[in-house]
């Protein structure tokens, strides 16, 4: 099975940088994804890591360490619209490749 | 980019009736689709994996006779909530992945089901 942990809530200031951590335990690993979800909406894809290291995409970066079962999502130059829930998801190493989601981190960006 | 269409977006039904939710991949073929349920302020819980041309795989605790899944083509999967009860009220979201191994899930916009 899979066990995914991430902080429940975080608060940051507009223009700042915030790091959202995710730790996981899995019997079979085939990639880690970060999604953003605004209230009442479906999740949208942010980033994907399958190898160790940092993936950068604009204001968002994601890091993975497979040996530590650890990832983080880094958001730079925070904007008010970044207030949302951020979901860490781990894909299983099976034919179906189903993903298990963490409980999400609710980020509140304040002026 | 890849688009997944889900409808209806909202449905209100009476207790005991059945509701069908459709999930379509619009510009790619999806041999596998996933159905999730999300209660307020909780994460997405995988209900079942929908496989084109074969039976769906249900997660532990999900009643297959209550949540009927049909994946008749490479672009369409349906979830039918049979004999709905108020406790089935939730946000149901489908997702699909194209045939390339490491592509992310693309989500439909979700269906808000309210059973009265």
């Amino acid at each position: 099975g899979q066990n995914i942990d991430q902080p429940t809530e975080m608060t940051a200031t507009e223009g700042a940088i915030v790091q959202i951590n995710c730790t996981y335990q899995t019997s079979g690993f085939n990639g880690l994804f970060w999604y953003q979800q605004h209230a009442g909406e479906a999740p949208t894809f942010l980033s994907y890591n399958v190898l160790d290291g940092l993936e950068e995409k604009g204001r968002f970066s994601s890091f993975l360490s497979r040996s530590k079962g650890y990832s983080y999502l880094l958001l730079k130059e925070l904007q008010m619209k970044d207030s949302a829930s951020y979901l860490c998801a781990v894909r299983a190493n099976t034919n179906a490749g189903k993903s298990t989601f963490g409980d999400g981190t609710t980020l509140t960006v304040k002026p | 980019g890849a688009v997944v269409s889900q409808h209806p977006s909202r449905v209100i039904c009476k207790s005991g009736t059945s509701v069908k939710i459709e999930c379509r991949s619009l510009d790619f073929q999806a041999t596998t689709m996933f159905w999730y349920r999300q209660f307020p302020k909780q994460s997405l819980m995988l209900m079942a994996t929908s496989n084109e041309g074969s039976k769906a795989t249900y997660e532990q605790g999900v009643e297959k006779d209550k949540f009927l899944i049909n994946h008749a083509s490479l672009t369409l999967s349906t979830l039918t909530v049979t004999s709905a009860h108020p406790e089935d009220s939730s946000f149901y979201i489908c997702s699909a992945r194209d045939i390339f191994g490491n592509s992310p899930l693309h989500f439909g916009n979700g269906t808000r089901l309210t059973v009265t």
Side-chain angles (χ1 to χ4, degrees), chain A residues 35 37 42 91 96 98-99 102, chain B residues 36 38 43 59 97 101 103 105 108:
Chain A
Y35 291 86
Q37 185 179 26
R91 173 180 288 171
K98 63 183 181 181
S99 296
Chain B
Y36 290 86
Q38 187 176 36
S43 189
E59 294 300 301
R97 182 163 54 90
S103 59
L105 291 176

Side-chain angles (χ1 to χ4, degrees), chain B residues 25-71:
Chain B
S25 56
L26 296 184
D27 56 358
F28 65 98
Q29 293 183 329
T31 55
T32 303
M33 292 186 178
F34 303 93
W35 287 95
Y36 290 86
R37 179 168 54 183
Q38 187 176 36
F39 291 106
K41 299 192 176 183
Q42 295 186 21
S43 189
L44 292 103
M45 297 301 296
L46 180 66
M47 299 175 66
T49 301
S50 172
N51 304 299
E52 188 268 335
S54 64
K55 293 182 179 179
T57 304
Y58 289 82
E59 294 300 301
Q60 190 173 8
V62 178
E63 300 175 59
K64 62 179 182 181
D65 294 329
K66 180 169 182 62
F67 300 99
L68 301 178
I69 292 174
N70 183 279
H71 194 155

Side-chain angles (χ1 to χ4, degrees), chain A residues 52-95:
Chain A
D52 292 348
L54 187 68
E55 294 286 339
E56 297 184 82
K57 187 185 295 185
R59 294 191 299 116
F60 297 85
S61 302
S62 58
F63 171 84
L64 174 68
S65 169
R66 289 171 296 171
S67 62
K68 296 182 179 179
Y70 168 70
S71 173
Y72 67 72
L73 178 69
L74 193 70
L75 294 80
K76 304 176 184 177
E77 302 171 13
L78 281 173
Q79 302 174 9
M80 299 298 291
K81 66 178 182 179
D82 296 330
S83 294
S85 180
Y86 291 85
L87 306 173
C88 172
V90 174
R91 173 180 288 171
N93 188 19
T94 64
N95 290 334

Side-chain angles (χ1 to χ4, degrees), chain B residues 11-19 81-86 113-116:
Chain B
V11 59
I12 300 173
C13 70
K14 293 186 176 181
S15 186
T17 61
S18 296
V19 174
V81 183
T82 63
S83 186
H85 289 94
L113 171 63
T114 303
V115 184
T116 60

